[in-house]
Amino acid sequence: MLRPALKNTDNLILVIILIIASSLRFWNFDSFSFSNDELSALFRTRFDTFSELVRDGFYVDGHPGGIQVFLYYWVRLAGNSETIVRLPFVIAGVLAVFFTWLVASRWFNKVTGFFSATTIAVLQFPLLYSQIARPYVTGLLFVLIMVYFWTRLLFDSPGQSARWKIWNAAALALSMSLCLYDHYFSFLFVVIAGITGLSFLSKDNYKFYISGTAISLLLFIPHIPITLNHLSIGGVGLWLGKPGLGWLAEHLCFTFNGSFILIGLLLILIILSIVRDAKRITLNRFQTICLIWFFLPFLVGFTYSHLVNPVLQDSVLLFSFPFLVMFLFSFFREPFDRLKGSLLLLWAVAGIFSTVIEKDYYHKQHFGEFRGIAEKIALWDKQYGGDSITKAISVNNPWYIEYYLKQYNSSAKFVQYDNRGGKDLLELKHIVAKSSMPYFLYAWTKPAPLEIGDIILLKYPYLIKEIDYGGLSAISLYGRHPSPDTMARVKPAFRVTYGFEHPGDWGEDTARIVTSPVHDGKFSFAFDSAVLYGPTFSSSCADILSGDVKLIKVSVWVYNTVEVKNVHLVVSVDDQGGKNYIWAAGNFNDFLDTGEWGKVIFNYRPSEIKSLYDRLKIYIWNNQQMEFFIDDITIELYE
């Protein structure tokens, strides 16, 4: 049966596209660490009962429960390794390419189908979400299946038997229901598609279409209380920022690998298709639907993100992405001749090259690292002695790192499992001060305060090992004494220390210079209720740097006899007209114990400094007019 089918050129091309899609998705799909979100989903498969899964697993999660329920039973049946957990999602990614071809071929023609399927097969955007166990590629597949049966029921019903219509209505109901249970943006897509379909009702299809959509809504009724709770949560705004006006342009660039080569070739293909086949741009109903189905979810997400809570991110527009792709290639007409075959080959090769070589997809760190960190902890415990290392980590859930530590037969424990700044920094300072071990290990698998390393360096001044996982995770080992493994630390492009040994150099009130208490040298500076702003470092960036500022480190030694509240170490940048556009501050409360000298640290990665001729200012803001003393201010700038 297979051999005669492959003699058909169209079938052969489709098989080749599916082989490409499979190869890219199955390659190394289990070789990288579970992401934070995957480990979160795995952690929620450990409940003993289904009611616990609902109550504690996804009632408060913010996502529909469909994929979590699937994982709950899938893990129980097959296991929880990367291979097992991700396998259904990889398969879903391949099937999504196939259904892209089915829909595009039916809506337009096989030429559009080939180009659309190839695009979904080779771009890193759909590829990435085909290799992780999250409700994105499944939602993509369910949406495409739903659209396939939506099309059959609305446009292919005339002349078909009642049995045929019933089966397609049932398939539409099931696929719509799967979308509703998968993700709220695939839910939104169903709403948009369902309303769109009302425009194409006829006497041949209206009963079956209305019945199919109604059944899908009935199937979702058990989830309504959960959805209402999710709506009360609002979204993921605690960590996701509101999209700017340029968000869509950035998203479109990202979807095509952010590659000038690929985007340029795409524009050439579109122009060729219009000039050679379409002659002129006239939109038919399916082209119009493609545009509506792509842009409307974006507009809803953008509006919701600004009026309620931020929810718009690249991943949630994966469900509508194929319809943008179909539109872009919809101007091609049949037949599929030699020229179009050559262009398809060129497009496939360019896409594979861009994803695999240009973007280095298989070697790039896409998500936070857990496996590598656990491996290094186990390795360093053997190399330096587990009982000789104090360990701390920033992780959303201790189980996430324990999952991998067990794989390396490590029973490592941590003195701190999370650090969100504030009092967590003061707690870490106390942990470091009390530690008697010769080594201190710190790892983070989620964003952590930049000051952590400098706190550890106060007692462990030698950096022994440091591994950065693409800026998404990191692990460092510090030592109290130098060793052959000690690493050279990155030197700042600019460094200045001011200890008030030459009073007045920073424009401070010399009447505030005192000789006791002093951290180092002869003098310090006294704050009280009459001092709102302390000594200020002020300089044009061009006078101290030759390039962009990547990191600013500021520290000051402080002595306080009473608890210091709302005193800030401030970094600001003013443009050449004197208008401030960067202002950031660290709080003294996070570092100080009363009655002793303590080092206050504020590290800051500035947003883009518009001009090197803009003015950098660093100062202390005594907002509550507290009484304390400062000494030895140090400023370091890194390019």
Side-chain angles (χ1 to χ4, degrees), residues 365-383:
Q365 192 77 31
H366 297 286
F367 301 101
E369 182 69 26
F370 293 84
R371 179 199 284 175
I373 284 177
E375 179 185 16
K376 291 299 180 292
I377 290 171
L379 177 64
W380 294 349
D381 274 352
K382 290 181 181 179
Q383 185 175 354

Side-chain angles (χ1 to χ4, degrees), residues 37 39 57 104 122 203 262 282 288 388 423 469 471 487-488 490 522:
D37 286 352
L39 287 166
V122 301
K203 63 179 181 179
L262 216 55
T282 55
T288 303
S388 299
K423 292 302 181 183
Y469 296 93
M487 298 176 61
V490 177
K522 298 180 180 179

